[in-house]
Amino acid sequence: MVVVNMWLEKLMELMGEDKVIVSQNVKERLSKDYYWYSPVLYEELKEKIADCIMKPTTMDEVKEIVAFAVDHKVPVTIRGAGTGNYGQAIPLKGGIVLDLTMLNRLLEVTDQTVRVQAGMKLGVLEKSLRAQGKELRIFPSTFMTATVGGFLCGGSGGIGSIRWGNLWDQNILGVTVMTVEEEPQIFDVAGEEIEQYIHNYGTTGIVLEAVLPIENRTEWEQHIVSFHTFKEAIKFADELAHIEEVTKRLVSVCEWPIPTHFQGLKEYLQPNKSIVMLELEEKSRELLKQLIQKYAGAIDLTIPASKYHRGLKVSDFTWNHATLWAHKHGENMTYLQARFKVGQIFEQMDAIRGKYGNEVQFHFEYIKIKGEITPASLPVLIYQSKERLYEIIDYFRSVGVEINDPHTYLLGFGGYNLRMEEILQKKKENDPYDLLNPGKIPVKQETRLNK
């Protein structure tokens, strides 16, 4: 075996050749995430690749690898399942991709919390909890493959956010973190300091374990409701989202023609109808029927609670799964992350539709932000060029629609009100040599970090 980097030879001597993966195919696969959702990121990141992949099975192995990386000043990029959309897990400067999916144990379940290792899949965790009469509060639409650590460090919200908000809303109670220094330290973090490890692309420390709040299991029915117009669908969804006595896990709205891409739903959907996809507590059925009648809708599909997450799942067509289906079955499709103003949503949509027609197709996810019901938006776009994309972004902003840019890998530029000053200080403390996922901190701030 020919090894180009001297440090790779030494790493193989230390850990054993079988634990240092240098296969080109494996490196290509595990150096990438879902960055290709963005044509802009695809061009910027398609050539980036690690020098090797490592899959530790214990904390001691992680510690040994990290100490080696610090000694040889080798970059380390932490990876879960690679379901992020912004290139979070792509190594910009080579080095080691540290895949934590083998650290996947469920450590403790109490009446109100669960403690797990970072590499555990959220789908496996949710299934285990539901078997014990419990469930998670929030998880992404990719939960069947996404890991706990990947969601915490690269995500924000998802299914359940209509009720519980996003990751910053006390949906993480604790994390166990390892520093990247000569003698790596392991410590627990709780309270407000946890925010310095949320959605930070793994730049401030290596999250090894997490403590999450859990709730009693709810019997969730799934529904797809269709409407003649998108505005009727929005009005229905908005009213339902605000009815507190209806317990909800998902309220997702897609205008036609986005549903034309949903291959697994084609036999159920009516042509030219916008749809609302729901997960509601089983006992809400009668109130739901009354509200559907009010807005002249129709139920296209109901999946009973007895079949929840057994087979077809409506959540597989919500959040950024809607973008995924459009990308796979449409032509040159990408997306934005937007927040419309409550009370001005129709005026803003009319302005955008008047300017761009069906080049922009609307998709909303109802969530809570600081306790307020908010229509977050993931509009699907027909991509023409980077220049056209940013012209559309500028127009959204000109009519008062906030944009979190999903076409950049730079931390903080995608929004989420990250407390960058505190994150930078924590990175300086925990990663003094800037080896963790280098290049993801914006240049100005990176310069200040290294002063």
Side-chain angles (χ1 to χ4, degrees):
M1 180 184 297
V2 178
V3 179
V4 176
N5 293 322
M6 290 298 295
W7 64 262
L8 261 177
E9 273 189 19
K10 293 177 180 177
L11 184 59
M12 289 175 178
E13 290 171 11
L14 177 69
M15 304 299 298
E17 280 193 21
D18 58 321
K19 292 193 175 183
V20 183
I21 303 169
V22 293
S23 158
Q24 190 68 17
N25 287 340
V26 177
K27 288 195 300 179
E28 286 282 356
R29 180 167 56 86
L30 297 184
S31 292
K32 298 295 190 290
D33 56 17
Y34 282 40
Y35 74 111
W36 43 262
Y37 271 40
S38 164
V40 175
L41 289 179
Y42 177 76
E43 290 302 321
E44 291 178 353
L45 300 177
K46 63 184 178 181
E47 304 297 334
K48 303 299 182 182
I49 188 170
D51 293 295
C52 71
I53 311 292
M54 302 204 68
K55 294 187 172 187
T57 57
T58 66
M59 282 197 189
D60 285 343
E61 279 191 348
V62 177
K63 200 170 187 178
E64 201 168 5
I65 294 165
V66 168
F68 174 91
V70 172
D71 188 35
H72 294 271
K73 302 300 180 286
V74 177
V76 178
T77 302
I78 311 303
R79 176 188 172 88
T83 59
N85 307 132
Y86 323 117
Q88 298 103 308
I90 296 178
L92 299 182
K93 300 184 180 181
I96 300 167
V97 161
L98 200 57
D99 182 321
L100 297 185
T101 53
M102 301 301 288
L103 293 174
N104 56 12
R105 290 169 50 216
L106 196 164
L107 302 171
E108 181 186 30
V109 180
T110 72
D111 187 53
Q112 296 181 312
T113 66
V114 62
R115 186 180 189 98
V116 294
Q117 289 185 314
M120 188 168 201
K121 290 182 179 179
L122 286 157
V124 173
L125 177 56
E126 171 77 351
K127 183 178 179 180
S128 176
L129 290 172
R130 287 183 66 81
Q132 300 175 61
K134 300 292 182 179
E135 66 184 22
L136 291 168
R137 284 186 172 185
I138 63 172
F139 48 83
S141 60
T142 55
F143 74 104
M144 294 304 292
T145 52
T147 63
V148 170
F151 181 43
L152 269 54
C153 295
S156 57
I159 290 87
S161 287
I162 179 65
R163 186 180 182 193
W164 299 109
N166 60 31
L167 290 172
W168 291 265
D169 294 311
Q170 290 78 55
N171 287 312
I172 308 169
L173 301 179
V175 290
T176 299
V177 177
M178 180 182 291
T179 62
V180 178
E181 48 191 337
E182 287 84 353
E183 293 186 15
Q185 305 299 305
I186 298 176
F187 54 89
D188 292 329
V189 178
E192 202 171 282
E193 192 180 346
I194 292 172
E195 293 196 10
Q196 293 154 22
Y197 300 94
I198 298 174
H199 197 81
N200 68 355
Y201 302 179
T203 57
T204 60
I206 302 173
V207 173
L208 298 171
E209 295 177 5
V211 180
L212 308 176
I214 57 176
E215 301 297 324
N216 291 331
R217 169 177 164 159
T218 296
E219 298 307 317
W220 300 107
E221 271 191 347
Q222 302 170 80
H223 306 276
I224 298 178
V225 187
S226 62
F227 296 87
H228 292 286
T229 70
F230 187 60
K231 287 186 179 180
E232 286 172 333
I234 286 287
K235 288 176 182 177
F236 163 83
D238 194 80
E239 184 168 343
L240 177 62
H242 283 86
I243 300 174
E244 286 296 329
E245 57 265 37
V246 176
T247 304
K248 300 167 284 285
R249 209 176 201 188
L250 179 70
V251 178
S252 176
V253 192
C254 281
E255 79 161 330
W256 191 269
I258 294 174
T260 62
H261 306 300
F262 297 168
Q263 297 296 307
L265 296 179
K266 283 199 167 182
E267 64 182 286
Y268 307 106
L269 302 182
Q270 302 177 51
N272 301 309
K273 297 287 184 71
S274 292
I275 61 172
V276 180
M277 292 171 281
L278 304 168
E279 291 187 12
L280 306 178
E281 190 173 16
E282 193 173 37
K283 65 184 182 182
S284 304
R285 195 179 307 161
E286 287 308 311
L287 196 153
L288 174 65
K289 286 180 181 177
Q290 294 170 24
L291 197 59
I292 290 170
Q293 189 174 20
K294 177 179 177 180
Y295 290 100
I299 295 180
D300 292 343
L301 174 66
T302 293
I303 303 174
S306 61
K307 293 187 177 179
Y308 187 61
H309 287 174
R310 296 178 183 177
L312 184 65
K313 301 184 290 294
V314 299
S315 62
D316 282 345
F317 305 90
T318 65
W319 288 86
N320 246 339
H321 259 80
T323 309
L324 177 62
W325 286 103
H327 184 96
K328 279 187 173 182
H329 299 286
E331 281 195 38
N332 301 322
M333 308 299 284
T334 189
Y335 74 115
L336 293 177
Q337 293 172 326
R339 190 180 301 169
F340 287 68
K341 287 189 184 301
V342 177
Q344 296 180 35
I345 187 169
F346 293 134
E347 291 88 342
Q348 290 174 324
M349 284 199 306
D350 286 345
I352 293 164
R353 178 55 39 81
K355 178 81 170 173
Y356 294 106
N358 279 337
E359 189 177 344
V360 176
Q361 299 161 23
F362 295 112
H363 165 203
F364 287 87
E365 298 288 342
Y366 277 83
I367 65 174
K368 275 186 179 175
I369 298 178
K370 296 180 180 177
E372 181 182 3
I373 298 293
T374 303
S377 183
L378 294 162
V380 173
L381 310 183
I382 298 171
Y383 181 77
Q384 297 186 49
S385 67
K386 183 176 179 180
E387 292 71 27
R388 179 70 166 181
L389 173 66
Y390 280 94
E391 175 197 316
I392 292 172
I393 288 174
D394 288 343
Y395 187 77
F396 266 70
R397 288 171 172 157
S398 76
V399 297
V401 179
E402 294 179 37
I403 293 289
N404 292 332
D405 185 0
H407 301 281
T408 177
Y409 56 76
L410 291 174
L411 182 62
F413 275 43
Y416 299 109
N417 298 315
L418 292 173
R419 301 189 302 184
M420 289 301 297
E421 291 294 331
E422 294 178 28
I423 284 176
L424 285 161
Q425 182 56 39
K426 191 56 61 179
K427 182 173 181 63
K428 190 174 181 180
E429 294 170 14
N430 293 347
D431 178 27
Y433 301 103
D434 191 22
L435 296 177
L436 271 178
N437 209 355
K440 301 294 171 64
I441 300 283
V443 173
K444 264 189 178 177
Q445 315 225 2
E446 193 173 47
T447 303
R448 290 170 54 200
L449 175 70
N450 292 328
K451 278 185 179 178

